[in-house]
Amino acid sequence: MVALLGVGVLPALPATATPQAPPSLAQGNNWEVEPVASGYQLTLRLDAPAPMRASLPLLAVNGVPLGVAKQSPDQRTLTLITTNPAVLKARDVRLIWSGDLGKEAGKGQERSQGAGPTDADWLKARRGPELNDDPGAVGQYQVETSEYNLGDEAVFLPGLGQRSEIRGKVYTPRGAVGPRPLVVFLHGRHQYCYGEGDDQPTDKPWPCSGTMKPVRSFRGYDGPATALASNGYQVVSISANAVNAYDGDVYDAGAQARAELTLDHLALWKKWSTLGGGPFGRKFVGKIDLRNVGLMGHSRGGDGVARAAVLNADRGGQFGIRAVLPLAPTDFARTTVPGVAMSVVLPYCDGDVSDLQGQKFYDDTRYSVTGDTAPRSTITVLGANHNFFNTEWTPGQSEAPSGDDWFGEEKESPCGAKYAGRLTAKEQQAVGTAYIAGFFRVQLGHETKFLPLLDGSDSRAASAGRAVVRVVAQAPLASRRDVNHLDQPLPAGAVSGKATATVCAGVEELNSRLARAATPTCMSTADFGNTPHWSTAWFAARTPTTAVTKLTWTGTDGVLRLNLPAWQRDVRRFAALSFRAAPDPAGTPKTDLSVRVVDGHGRAAVVPVSTVSDALVRMPGSNANGLPKNLLRTVRIPVGSLKGVDLRDVRAVELRTDRVAGGSAYVSDLAFSSPGVGSSAPAVLLPKLSASNVKVKEGDKGINSADFWVTMARPSIRPVTVYAETSGELGETVGDVTRKLVFKPGQVRQKVSVSIHSNTWDSYDLPFDLVLSVPRDGLLDQSFGHGLVIDDDPTPTLTLGNAQASEKAGEVKFPVKLSAPSDKIVTISGELKDGTAVLRKDYKGAYDDGSDPANRSVDGYVEPGKAAGEVTVTLVDDTVKEPGETFSVVVGAVDGAEVKLPKTLRATITDND
């Protein structure tokens, strides 16, 4: 047997006379660690294909996620290249998903759970008034559909480094006169090829080849597209299969590529609607209003359209993108989408993006720009999963194979397929149609009759049927007066009685790779799927999450009082007083507060929260597998209901604990507001923030520095802030940096220095990123700065020696020495040659399975950080008295060290009989 230093077990290899690849450094039943030029390659092989999920596929070693894995085209093999030596001590390797972080080991695909304490409340949840008009209903226009296909590799996407298809389905209102608003739909990450064959080349997953056929995900949104087109809107749903095929190997999971693809389609429509040509001739000339554009992105498409809106503004606002709707989206890098109207749809039973990370689009954007006049909202749909918004992702409706992303048939779980509150696929699609169409008809068509659907009043569309939907809304600035964001400590004396108010953000028990924040955490959980506001983004893991006020009380006399300055006291023009709230999961499933509004004469109106909202009722589900979600929801009190109060002179708003003797709740964003369309446009006037790229030599002594420059394209008259942090497999070489950068008025550049720890050992070049996130009063341009640490140490020389051993020793060891330790694995491959000793009679090859011809391969390696090892060959201890015998090892390949080859080593076997 050939081995070195007892690391791992060597795999059986097929018989061949050719030297084999280096052996595994560690392995299990379905995984192995192998040396490669840039570190260690960790490979996990699955019995069945992994799903093509929107969440990032991560490989976890001994329970600790190491990084994002690449998936093979058949989704059965996942690979991760890392320099982390922890892989050499792997005992257990699993696939986990970024949206499932914190779930119990081995249960990442299970959603089975029992009933929760408030499930019955949500089955009979309050329902607001039904709108007179239904945004999901078919309108006056007949809808004409067509498709265009410019080829599977029609455009190069710099954000992907590959060519993509240009293909779309067009929905046109027949007979509509004049230019129409344009809505572009972008599907998300899903299987891109399907078929019975297995002939898709692994090095070129797109276009589909052989018997494989492309999945037509772009055809899956007929419902909302028809609802919009029949009411006079032009709709195009575009295909992004190439991005799905290649986005497992790009720095941002494909957000930039999806954005570029969206803008490429818009550029074509600009040409087709002005000059004509292409597949439509002059059919659409004068028919498209590119000053009034909306984008809907599903799954990773949500990240893509958010980035497209920002990229469009970065490039001067060539297209009038005024409304963005991320549908069950990912948000891996905490971008903001200022200036444009936004509504984020969050399916409560999302089994893919199960942490509902799209909530952060709303949280991060709502106060990100001073004077932002656009409205935004979140739409939480109970009983809805990730996939069924797209018919091509829905069993019984799709052409390609599809499935329910929330696993489990149980009747007890609020997300189980048989649960009374779980929506059928058609019910879910009807809800999606109503809210997608309603949002764009409000924002692009200014059809204000649909505003109540999006203002947090629980108004509903008839076509949404029995669905329970909860909307949180931030009205546009022109019709909103913020009283207190409740994200900063309150003034002294603001809280009285047996109550305390603490600003909190984030959760405890996060993965060990995350740093403890200075702000107190809001709650404790090991399952990050239930904390959409406070779970971290993979590429911006240490950037602070949403800060709220946690109000805790032990008596009925607690008061949190917010005094209004003189200029805020006249609230007659506003429709409602609102704030966001949720019960603390550590407390009772239901709690209550009173809202007391006081005027200048001391007259007050008191409204119990429970009479106007179920925000202080825990959401459905028991404490398992991402449920119940701890989501802040709307408490909305119509100003007209504040009887007896002088609305010209409101002096204070109080939250009082007189309803329940003890409890705890989160509160945020208290404001007076009225629903409004607002003013939306590309945020072209904001300064653009970019991070530079850096290459630096590692060095031999001490600590060096990789200096990134974060720059603004122009100075600002007000301070601009942005978070910057290192991301990637940093190892022991690259320092872990998280900084909040503040650009003072007139300042346009700042240096971010990342420490580089030197050594004199040969190592790998190490790539990493500096990620910019959550800007305030700025816009992200080049938000990923790419760093590369170049190893500058010489490759060690290798010395190989002859060996001698008695046959009773059972093995003979050839000494291996390096001139200096190395950070790399050093591998040695060769071939056994008979002398007077004969293979199988006097010694054995490690890969010899007894077949003919005999396998003569031999190999060995030196572990990283060590300077010596050995190549070992097994000896046969016979009972025949014989003279000393010899055989040779002809070393033909060495990786990681310098040696003149071929090199012949001689072994002498002494007899013991």
Side-chain angles (χ1 to χ4, degrees), residues 181-450:
L182 175 64
V183 183
V184 178
F185 290 173
L186 174 65
H187 68 81
R189 193 170 197 259
H190 193 72
Q191 195 73 24
Y192 46 88
C193 298
Y194 74 102
E196 297 298 326
D198 191 20
D199 46 9
Q200 189 71 31
T202 58
D203 59 339
K204 191 173 175 60
W206 179 261
C208 303
S209 65
T211 60
M212 304 296 283
K213 295 183 289 186
V215 178
R216 309 301 189 189
S217 294
F218 69 100
R219 293 177 178 168
Y221 304 106
D222 282 352
T226 300
L228 282 166
S230 67
N231 283 284
Y233 295 78
Q234 182 70 46
V235 182
V236 178
S237 183
I238 66 175
S239 179
N241 278 333
V243 184
N244 288 342
Y246 289 109
D247 68 354
D249 195 27
V250 293
Y251 61 92
D252 66 350
Q256 181 78 8
R258 290 181 172 89
E260 290 167 344
L261 180 63
T262 302
L263 297 182
D264 285 339
H265 277 267
L266 287 176
L268 286 171
W269 280 100
K270 181 178 181 179
K271 178 181 178 182
W272 296 339
S273 63
T274 54
L275 301 176
F280 302 113
R282 298 190 59 81
K283 178 178 180 179
F284 289 103
V285 172
K287 298 295 183 67
I288 308 294
D289 184 4
L290 286 170
R291 298 168 300 177
N292 201 14
V293 175
L295 306 178
M296 185 281 283
H298 186 186
S299 188
R300 286 198 193 180
D303 232 338
V305 297
R307 180 63 183 145
V310 173
L311 197 62
N312 179 60
D314 286 337
R315 296 175 180 176
Q318 181 181 9
F319 308 108
I321 297 174
R322 300 180 183 277
V324 173
L325 190 147
L327 172 63
T330 58
D331 179 12
F332 296 136
R334 302 282 301 278
T335 191
T336 58
V337 194
V340 300
M342 177 173 63
S343 194
V344 185
V345 177
L346 304 172
Y348 192 74
C349 297
D350 195 320
D352 188 349
V353 189
S354 54
D355 56 0
L356 302 187
Q357 59 192 256
Q359 172 67 47
K360 293 184 182 61
F361 281 127
Y362 177 92
D363 289 346
D364 291 340
T365 305
R366 70 196 198 285
Y367 303 124
S368 67
V369 171
T370 304
D372 190 343
T373 57
R376 48 194 55 89
S377 59
T378 64
I379 301 165
T380 302
V381 184
L382 271 68
N385 72 355
H386 186 85
N387 284 351
F388 290 178
F389 290 109
N390 185 313
T391 57
E392 289 300 316
W393 298 1
T394 304
Q397 297 178 342
S398 63
E399 177 183 290
S402 58
D404 183 351
D405 50 279
W406 191 282
F407 295 82
E409 296 290 327
E410 65 278 350
K411 295 181 179 180
E412 296 79 16
S413 166
C415 292
K418 297 180 180 178
Y419 184 69
R422 177 70 190 270
L423 301 179
T424 67
K426 289 186 177 180
E427 287 175 326
Q428 179 173 329
Q429 289 153 12
V431 176
T433 291
Y435 280 89
I436 292 169
F439 170 72
F440 288 117
R441 290 179 70 179
V442 167
Q443 294 306 144
L444 302 183
H446 288 194
E447 298 185 60
T448 55
K449 60 188 177 182
F450 299 124

Side-chain angles (χ1 to χ4, degrees), residues 570-789:
D570 187 346
V571 299
R572 287 175 295 173
R573 71 183 181 92
F574 299 109
L577 168 67
S578 66
F579 60 96
R580 296 196 294 170
D584 179 359
T588 57
K590 301 178 188 178
T591 191
D592 205 359
L593 294 166
S594 288
V595 180
R596 185 170 181 263
V597 180
V598 186
D599 69 13
H601 300 285
R603 294 173 300 204
V606 178
V607 180
V609 168
S610 57
T611 64
V612 294
S613 172
D614 47 26
L616 293 177
V617 176
R618 189 177 302 171
M619 299 197 81
S622 62
N623 291 315
N625 294 312
L627 298 180
K629 306 295 183 188
N630 292 286
L631 278 168
L632 296 164
R633 285 156 281 141
T634 298
V635 178
R636 187 177 188 272
I637 302 170
V639 167
S641 70
L642 301 175
K643 302 300 183 182
V645 172
D646 184 355
L647 298 178
R648 296 171 298 178
D649 189 25
V650 172
R651 297 299 180 96
V653 177
E654 297 175 347
L655 302 181
R656 303 178 72 92
T657 68
D658 55 354
R659 303 288 298 175
V660 179
S664 182
Y666 310 109
V667 290
S668 176
D669 300 336
L670 192 140
F672 287 95
S673 65
S674 297
V677 174
S679 177
S680 300
V684 295
L685 299 180
L686 290 175
K688 298 182 294 184
L689 292 154
S690 295
S692 66
N693 299 327
V694 175
K695 291 183 181 180
V696 61
K697 291 184 177 181
E698 177 191 71
D700 294 335
K701 293 182 180 180
I703 298 177
N704 296 316
S705 178
D707 295 332
F708 290 86
W709 287 97
V710 178
T711 57
M712 292 203 304
R714 61 171 180 80
S716 174
I717 61 173
R718 60 173 60 96
V720 174
T721 65
V722 68
Y723 286 90
E725 67 176 85
T726 48
S727 178
E729 179 55 54
L730 306 180
E732 297 180 357
T733 300
V734 178
D736 202 346
V737 171
T738 303
R739 282 183 57 187
K740 180 181 180 180
L741 305 179
V742 180
F743 289 84
K744 298 177 182 179
Q747 187 179 11
V748 294
R749 65 198 302 253
Q750 290 196 48
K751 183 167 67 173
V752 177
S753 296
V754 179
S755 60
I756 306 298
H757 295 263
S758 303
N759 66 37
T760 57
W761 293 1
D762 187 31
S763 189
Y764 305 102
D765 292 348
L766 182 64
F768 67 101
D769 293 316
L770 184 76
V771 182
L772 305 183
S773 63
V774 196
R776 183 173 178 84
D777 286 316
L779 200 65
L780 294 179
D781 187 3
Q782 301 297 325
S783 58
F784 280 73
H786 303 301
L788 182 65
V789 180

